[in-house]
Protein backbone atom coordinates (compact mmCIF):
# COMPACT_ATOMS: atom_id res chain seq x y z
CA UNK A 1 0.00 0.00 0.00
CA UNK A 2 1.39 3.39 -0.97
CA UNK A 3 2.34 5.51 2.00
CA UNK A 4 1.66 9.18 2.32
CA UNK A 5 4.10 10.83 4.68
CA UNK A 6 3.19 14.25 6.05
CA UNK A 7 5.40 16.51 8.13
CA UNK A 8 3.94 18.44 11.05
CA UNK A 9 5.57 21.02 13.31
CA UNK A 10 4.75 22.73 16.59
CA UNK A 11 6.63 24.84 19.11
CA UNK A 12 5.62 22.91 22.21
CA UNK A 13 7.44 20.37 24.32
CA UNK A 14 6.39 16.77 23.67
CA UNK A 15 5.06 16.69 27.24
CA UNK A 16 2.94 19.83 26.82
CA UNK A 17 -0.80 19.25 26.58
CA UNK A 18 -0.96 20.92 23.16
CA UNK A 19 2.17 19.14 21.95
CA UNK A 20 0.58 15.83 22.92
CA UNK A 21 -2.44 16.68 20.81
CA UNK A 22 -0.34 16.56 17.66
CA UNK A 23 0.79 13.07 18.60
CA UNK A 24 -2.83 12.09 19.26
CA UNK A 25 -3.79 13.47 15.83
CA UNK A 26 -0.93 11.59 14.12
CA UNK A 27 -1.93 8.36 15.82
CA UNK A 28 -5.59 8.75 14.86
CA UNK A 29 -4.62 9.30 11.24
CA UNK A 30 -2.27 6.31 11.27
CA UNK A 31 -4.91 4.05 12.85
CA UNK A 32 -7.82 5.13 10.68
CA UNK A 33 -5.80 4.85 7.48
CA UNK A 34 -4.46 1.44 8.45
CA UNK A 35 -0.94 2.87 8.49
CA UNK A 36 -1.26 4.29 4.99
CA UNK A 37 -0.95 7.94 6.07
CA UNK A 38 1.92 8.75 8.35
CA UNK A 39 2.31 12.10 10.10
CA UNK A 40 5.78 12.81 11.42
CA UNK A 41 5.53 15.30 14.28
CA UNK A 42 8.43 17.63 15.10
CA UNK A 43 8.02 19.40 18.44
CA UNK A 44 9.92 22.27 20.05
CA UNK A 45 10.07 24.54 17.00
CA UNK A 46 12.48 22.11 15.33
CA UNK A 47 11.00 23.15 11.99
CA UNK A 48 10.95 26.84 12.91
CA UNK A 49 8.90 29.13 15.11
CA UNK A 50 5.25 29.77 14.38
CA UNK A 51 5.58 32.57 11.81
CA UNK A 52 8.16 30.54 9.86
CA UNK A 53 5.97 27.44 9.96
CA UNK A 54 2.97 29.41 8.71
CA UNK A 55 5.05 30.72 5.79
CA UNK A 56 6.24 27.22 4.98
CA UNK A 57 2.65 25.98 5.05
CA UNK A 58 1.71 28.74 2.61
CA UNK A 59 4.51 27.82 0.22
CA UNK A 60 3.68 24.15 0.63
CA UNK A 61 7.10 23.19 1.96
CA UNK A 62 5.52 22.11 5.26
CA UNK A 63 2.34 20.02 5.35
CA UNK A 64 0.88 20.56 8.81
CA UNK A 65 1.45 22.63 11.93
CA UNK A 66 -0.09 23.58 15.20
CA UNK A 67 0.19 27.33 15.71
CA UNK A 68 -1.41 29.99 17.83
CA UNK A 69 -4.16 32.11 16.34
CA UNK A 70 -2.23 35.30 17.23
CA UNK A 71 0.59 35.06 14.67
CA UNK A 72 -1.77 33.37 12.19
CA UNK A 73 -3.89 36.54 12.13
CA UNK A 74 -1.07 38.33 10.30
CA UNK A 75 -1.73 35.91 7.40
CA UNK A 76 -5.47 35.41 7.86
CA UNK A 77 -6.89 38.67 9.17
CA UNK A 78 -10.46 37.36 9.43
CA UNK A 79 -9.52 35.55 12.65
CA UNK A 80 -8.56 38.69 14.58
CA UNK A 81 -11.88 39.23 16.32
CA UNK A 82 -11.51 35.89 18.11
CA UNK A 83 -8.59 37.24 20.14
CA UNK A 84 -10.18 40.50 21.26
CA UNK A 85 -9.44 41.05 24.97
CA UNK A 86 -12.15 40.19 27.49
CA UNK A 87 -14.43 39.02 24.72
CA UNK A 88 -15.56 35.81 26.39
CA UNK A 89 -17.33 35.59 29.74
CA UNK A 90 -15.48 32.47 30.83
CA UNK A 91 -13.88 29.24 29.58
CA UNK A 92 -17.24 27.60 28.89
CA UNK A 93 -18.45 30.52 26.80
CA UNK A 94 -15.17 30.52 24.85
CA UNK A 95 -15.33 26.83 24.10
CA UNK A 96 -18.99 26.95 23.15
CA UNK A 97 -18.09 29.56 20.54
CA UNK A 98 -15.05 27.72 19.21
CA UNK A 99 -16.59 24.25 19.06
CA UNK A 100 -19.91 25.51 17.71
CA UNK A 101 -21.11 26.98 14.44
CA UNK A 102 -19.14 30.23 14.87
CA UNK A 103 -15.89 28.33 15.26
CA UNK A 104 -16.73 26.18 12.23
CA UNK A 105 -17.49 29.27 10.18
CA UNK A 106 -14.15 30.83 11.01
CA UNK A 107 -12.28 27.63 10.11
CA UNK A 108 -14.15 27.45 6.82
CA UNK A 109 -13.55 31.14 6.06
CA UNK A 110 -9.77 30.66 5.98
CA UNK A 111 -9.57 30.54 2.25
CA UNK A 112 -7.34 32.36 -0.13
CA UNK A 113 -4.40 32.37 2.24
CA UNK A 114 -3.15 28.96 1.15
CA UNK A 115 -3.82 27.73 4.66
CA UNK A 116 -6.58 25.36 5.70
CA UNK A 117 -7.78 25.42 9.31
CA UNK A 118 -8.58 21.87 10.43
CA UNK A 119 -9.28 22.16 14.15
CA UNK A 120 -9.13 24.35 17.25
CA UNK A 121 -6.85 23.53 20.14
CA UNK A 122 -8.11 24.98 23.43
CA UNK A 123 -5.55 27.25 25.06
CA UNK A 124 -7.62 28.48 27.98
CA UNK A 125 -6.98 32.01 29.16
CA UNK A 126 -3.79 34.04 28.94
CA UNK A 127 -2.69 36.16 31.88
CA UNK A 128 0.31 38.36 32.76
CA UNK A 129 3.35 37.28 34.70
CA UNK A 130 6.25 39.41 35.85
CA UNK A 131 9.70 39.03 37.34
CA UNK A 132 9.72 41.82 39.91
CA UNK A 133 6.66 43.97 40.19
CA UNK A 134 3.47 41.97 40.71
CA UNK A 135 0.46 43.19 38.71
CA UNK A 136 -2.29 43.84 41.24
CA UNK A 137 -4.02 46.66 39.42
CA UNK A 138 -3.91 48.09 35.91
CA UNK A 139 -1.54 50.89 36.99
CA UNK A 140 1.12 48.31 37.85
CA UNK A 141 1.61 47.57 34.15
CA UNK A 142 2.75 51.12 33.46
CA UNK A 143 6.08 51.19 31.65
CA UNK A 144 6.78 47.47 32.07
CA UNK A 145 8.25 45.69 29.06
CA UNK A 146 5.89 42.82 28.32
CA UNK A 147 6.51 40.19 25.68
CA UNK A 148 3.64 39.63 23.29
CA UNK A 149 3.13 37.25 20.41
CA UNK A 150 3.84 38.47 16.88
CA UNK A 151 0.43 40.06 16.43
CA UNK A 152 -0.49 43.72 15.95
CA UNK A 153 -3.63 43.41 18.06
CA UNK A 154 -1.59 42.06 20.98
CA UNK A 155 0.92 44.91 20.61
CA UNK A 156 -2.01 47.34 20.70
CA UNK A 157 -3.61 45.64 23.68
CA UNK A 158 -0.53 45.80 25.86
CA UNK A 159 0.04 49.44 24.85
CA UNK A 160 -3.56 50.28 25.73
CA UNK A 161 -2.91 48.80 29.16
CA UNK A 162 0.02 51.16 29.70
CA UNK A 163 2.90 48.72 29.23
CA UNK A 164 5.57 48.54 26.53
CA UNK A 165 4.98 45.54 24.24
CA UNK A 166 7.92 43.56 22.91
CA UNK A 167 7.03 41.06 20.16
CA UNK A 168 9.12 37.89 20.30
CA UNK A 169 8.73 34.31 19.12
CA UNK A 170 7.92 31.92 21.95
CA UNK A 171 11.28 30.17 21.93
CA UNK A 172 13.08 33.45 22.68
CA UNK A 173 11.04 34.45 25.72
CA UNK A 174 12.85 32.47 28.40
CA UNK A 175 16.24 34.05 27.74
CA UNK A 176 14.66 37.49 27.36
CA UNK A 177 13.17 37.09 30.84
CA UNK A 178 16.36 35.72 32.25
CA UNK A 179 18.52 38.53 30.90
CA UNK A 180 16.00 41.16 31.95
CA UNK A 181 15.35 42.39 28.39
CA UNK A 182 11.67 42.12 29.31
CA UNK A 183 9.91 42.49 32.68
CA UNK A 184 7.24 39.94 32.00
CA UNK A 185 5.12 38.05 29.52
CA UNK A 186 1.66 36.49 29.34
CA UNK A 187 0.40 33.00 28.72
CA UNK A 188 -1.77 30.14 29.96
CA UNK A 189 -0.65 27.93 32.87
CA UNK A 190 0.67 24.95 30.89
CA UNK A 191 2.84 27.22 28.75
CA UNK A 192 3.98 29.25 31.79
CA UNK A 193 5.25 26.03 33.32
CA UNK A 194 6.38 23.94 30.31
CA UNK A 195 8.48 26.83 28.98
CA UNK A 196 10.09 27.25 32.44
CA UNK A 197 9.05 30.92 32.48
CA UNK A 198 7.68 30.27 35.97
CA UNK A 199 11.20 29.73 37.24
CA UNK A 200 12.09 33.32 36.40
CA UNK A 201 8.81 35.27 36.52
CA UNK A 202 7.13 34.29 39.75
CA UNK A 203 4.21 36.71 39.92
CA UNK A 204 1.25 35.39 37.92
CA UNK A 205 -1.83 37.62 37.77
CA UNK A 206 -5.00 35.79 36.84
CA UNK A 207 -6.49 38.58 34.69
CA UNK A 208 -7.54 36.29 31.78
CA UNK A 209 -7.19 39.09 29.22
CA UNK A 210 -7.44 36.87 26.16
CA UNK A 211 -8.50 33.38 25.18
CA UNK A 212 -6.36 32.56 22.18
CA UNK A 213 -6.74 29.08 20.76
CA UNK A 214 -4.16 27.23 18.73
CA UNK A 215 -5.12 25.71 15.40
CA UNK A 216 -4.12 22.64 13.49
CA UNK A 217 -3.45 24.00 10.02
CA UNK A 218 -2.54 22.38 6.74
CA UNK A 219 -1.12 23.51 3.45
CA UNK A 220 -4.07 23.98 1.08
CA UNK A 221 -1.94 22.75 -1.83
CA UNK A 222 -0.99 19.57 -0.01
CA UNK A 223 -4.51 18.82 1.15
CA UNK A 224 -5.92 19.32 -2.34
CA UNK A 225 -3.32 16.94 -3.77
CA UNK A 226 -4.71 14.02 -1.73
CA UNK A 227 -7.64 11.81 -2.71
CA UNK A 228 -10.96 13.10 -1.38
CA UNK A 229 -11.34 10.16 1.04
CA UNK A 230 -7.96 10.96 2.60
CA UNK A 231 -8.83 14.64 2.89
CA UNK A 232 -11.98 13.66 4.78
CA UNK A 233 -10.05 11.27 6.99
CA UNK A 234 -7.52 13.97 7.93
CA UNK A 235 -10.28 16.50 8.63
CA UNK A 236 -12.16 13.99 10.79
CA UNK A 237 -9.08 13.05 12.81
CA UNK A 238 -8.20 16.70 13.44
CA UNK A 239 -11.70 17.26 14.84
CA UNK A 240 -11.34 14.16 17.03
CA UNK A 241 -7.99 15.49 18.27
CA UNK A 242 -9.70 18.81 19.05
CA UNK A 243 -12.20 17.00 21.30
CA UNK A 244 -9.56 14.85 22.92
CA UNK A 245 -7.46 17.91 23.68
CA UNK A 246 -10.37 19.76 25.25
CA UNK A 247 -11.01 16.82 27.58
CA UNK A 248 -7.35 16.83 28.71
CA UNK A 249 -7.00 20.62 28.89
CA UNK A 250 -8.66 21.41 32.22
CA UNK A 251 -6.63 18.85 34.13
CA UNK A 252 -3.39 19.88 32.45
CA UNK A 253 -4.05 23.50 33.28
CA UNK A 254 -4.88 22.79 36.94
CA UNK A 255 -1.79 20.60 37.22
CA UNK A 256 0.45 23.32 35.78
CA UNK A 257 -1.03 25.88 38.16
CA UNK A 258 -0.22 23.58 41.07
CA UNK A 259 3.32 23.03 39.82
CA UNK A 260 3.82 26.79 39.68
CA UNK A 261 2.40 27.32 43.17
CA UNK A 262 4.47 24.49 44.63
CA UNK A 263 7.58 26.02 43.08
CA UNK A 264 6.88 29.34 44.78
CA UNK A 265 4.94 31.35 42.23
CA UNK A 266 2.43 33.68 43.74
CA UNK A 267 -0.89 33.66 41.92
CA UNK A 268 -2.66 36.98 42.17
CA UNK A 269 -6.42 36.67 41.81
CA UNK A 270 -8.11 39.93 40.83
CA UNK A 271 -11.52 40.51 42.42
CA UNK A 272 -12.39 43.17 39.91
CA UNK A 273 -11.11 43.46 36.34
CA UNK A 274 -13.24 46.46 35.38
CA UNK A 275 -10.20 48.75 35.06
CA UNK A 276 -8.47 46.25 32.78
CA UNK A 277 -11.57 46.04 30.61
CA UNK A 278 -11.85 49.83 30.52
CA UNK A 279 -8.24 50.14 29.42
CA UNK A 280 -8.85 48.03 26.31
CA UNK A 281 -12.17 49.65 25.41
CA UNK A 282 -10.42 51.92 22.82
CA UNK A 283 -9.68 48.74 20.83
CA UNK A 284 -13.40 48.04 20.66
CA UNK A 285 -14.10 51.68 19.72
CA UNK A 286 -11.41 51.81 17.01
CA UNK A 287 -13.28 51.70 13.68
CA UNK A 288 -10.58 49.55 12.08
CA UNK A 289 -10.53 47.00 14.92
CA UNK A 290 -13.54 46.48 17.20
CA UNK A 291 -15.68 48.71 15.00
CA UNK A 292 -15.03 46.55 11.98
CA UNK A 293 -15.82 43.36 13.90
CA UNK A 294 -18.89 44.67 15.69
CA UNK A 295 -21.38 42.19 14.21
CA UNK A 296 -19.09 39.31 15.18
CA UNK A 297 -18.46 40.70 18.65
CA UNK A 298 -22.20 40.85 19.15
CA UNK A 299 -22.78 37.35 17.77
CA UNK A 300 -20.07 35.93 20.02
CA UNK A 301 -21.34 37.73 23.10
CA UNK A 302 -24.87 36.49 22.38
CA UNK A 303 -23.78 32.85 22.68
CA UNK A 304 -25.18 31.61 25.98
C1 LIG B 1 0.99 29.18 23.78
C2 LIG B 1 0.50 28.67 22.46
C3 LIG B 1 1.62 28.64 21.46
C4 LIG B 1 2.25 30.01 21.37
C5 LIG B 1 2.69 30.50 22.71
C6 LIG B 1 3.26 31.91 22.66
O1 LIG B 1 1.93 28.29 24.27
O2 LIG B 1 -0.03 27.37 22.63
O3 LIG B 1 1.14 28.23 20.23
O4 LIG B 1 3.35 30.01 20.51
O5 LIG B 1 1.60 30.46 23.60
O6 LIG B 1 3.05 32.65 23.61
O7 LIG B 1 3.90 32.28 21.69
Amino acid sequence: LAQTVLKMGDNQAKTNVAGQTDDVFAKLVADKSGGRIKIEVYHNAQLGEETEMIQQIQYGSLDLAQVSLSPLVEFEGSLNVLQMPYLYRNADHFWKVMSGTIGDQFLASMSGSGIVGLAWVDGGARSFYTIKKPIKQIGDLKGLKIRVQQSSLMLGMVKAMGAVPVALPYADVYSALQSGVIDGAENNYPSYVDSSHYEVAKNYTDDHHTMVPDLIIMSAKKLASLPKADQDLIRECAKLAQKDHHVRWQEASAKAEKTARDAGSSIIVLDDITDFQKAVQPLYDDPSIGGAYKPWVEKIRAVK
Side-chain angles (χ1 to χ4, degrees):
L1 227 52
Q3 238 205 5
T4 303
V5 180
L6 302 170
K7 247 189 179 180
M8 176 168 198
D10 68 35
N11 67 347
Q12 305 285 1
K14 196 176 167 56
T15 49
N16 174 274
V17 56
Q20 286 167 346
T21 297
D22 292 340
D23 295 321
V24 167
F25 171 52
K27 181 159 188 327
L28 282 165
V29 169
D31 289 351
K32 285 197 184 277
S33 68
R36 215 168 32 75
I37 308 176
K38 186 173 179 221
I39 298 178
E40 291 173 348
V41 182
Y42 296 84
H43 297 290
N44 278 317
Q46 284 175 71
L47 303 181
E49 255 297 348
E50 293 187 318
T51 299
E52 289 138 24
M53 286 193 285
I54 298 165
Q55 283 164 344
Q56 292 175 50
I57 292 256
Q58 258 188 334
Y59 299 144
S61 53
L62 176 62
D63 305 316
L64 288 148
Q66 184 193 133
V67 298
S68 169
L69 176 134
S70 273
L72 188 58
V73 161
E74 304 304 307
F75 299 80
E76 184 58 62
S78 63
L79 301 173
N80 211 18
V81 61
L82 298 173
Q83 60 167 349
M84 287 294 279
Y86 303 111
L87 175 61
Y88 309 96
R89 288 184 302 279
N90 51 40
D92 283 345
H93 177 214
F94 164 71
W95 195 246
K96 226 182 212 164
V97 171
M98 300 316 297
S99 61
T101 50
I102 295 183
D104 284 345
Q105 263 173 282
F106 274 94
L107 281 185
S109 74
M110 290 180 54
S111 57
S113 57
I115 304 163
V116 177
L118 295 178
W120 302 107
V121 180
D122 192 350
R126 297 177 73 100
S127 293
F128 291 113
Y129 44 89
T130 51
I131 305 173
K132 288 193 186 129
K133 190 176 185 186
I135 311 300
K136 295 184 174 160
Q137 51 190 22
I138 187 78
D140 293 330
L141 277 163
K142 198 167 172 45
L144 292 188
K145 290 200 204 87
I146 302 290
R147 178 268 173 170
V148 292
Q149 292 175 274
Q150 288 160 301
S151 147
S152 22
L153 180 58
M154 291 306 110
L155 284 161
M157 178 191 74
V158 161
K159 247 188 231 161
M161 289 174 157
V164 181
V166 180
L168 287 174
Y170 192 44
D172 295 349
V173 181
Y174 182 80
S175 63
L177 284 167
Q178 220 183 15
S179 63
V181 167
I182 51 175
D183 301 303
E186 48 85 54
N187 220 316
N188 54 39
Y189 280 117
S191 301
Y192 175 53
V193 168
D194 295 333
S195 61
S196 302
H197 297 174
Y198 77 119
E199 289 170 6
V200 194
K202 291 188 170 293
N203 309 296
Y204 190 100
T205 300
D206 239 340
D207 74 294
H208 294 184
H209 48 261
T210 49
M211 299 189 121
V212 179
D214 291 330
L215 292 92
I216 296 178
I217 57 172
M218 184 158 184
S219 148
K221 245 190 241 161
K222 189 69 197 197
L223 187 63
S225 77
L226 301 176
K228 175 74 170 61
D230 288 354
Q231 295 184 22
D232 292 346
L233 187 149
I234 288 169
R235 284 184 183 276
E236 183 201 344
C237 291
K239 279 293 188 180
L240 290 173
Q242 164 178 322
K243 280 200 189 123
D244 183 85
H245 174 90
H246 182 64
V247 171
R248 285 180 291 113
W249 169 261
Q250 201 45 51
E251 199 188 320
S253 186
K255 195 172 153 217
E257 179 183 349
K258 186 175 181 312
T259 303
R261 280 184 198 272
D262 290 352
S265 282
S266 62
I267 311 290
I268 299 146
V269 179
L270 301 172
D271 300 327
D272 186 2
I273 53 159
T274 320
D275 289 344
F276 287 76
Q277 289 169 320
K278 266 192 206 148
V280 301
Q281 186 56 40
L283 298 175
Y284 281 92
D285 298 337
D286 187 323
S288 66
I289 310 174
Y293 310 142
K294 206 156 179 244
W296 277 114
V297 168
E298 283 167 4
K299 254 187 228 171
I300 290 167
R301 290 207 158 135
V303 173
K304 291 284 172 258

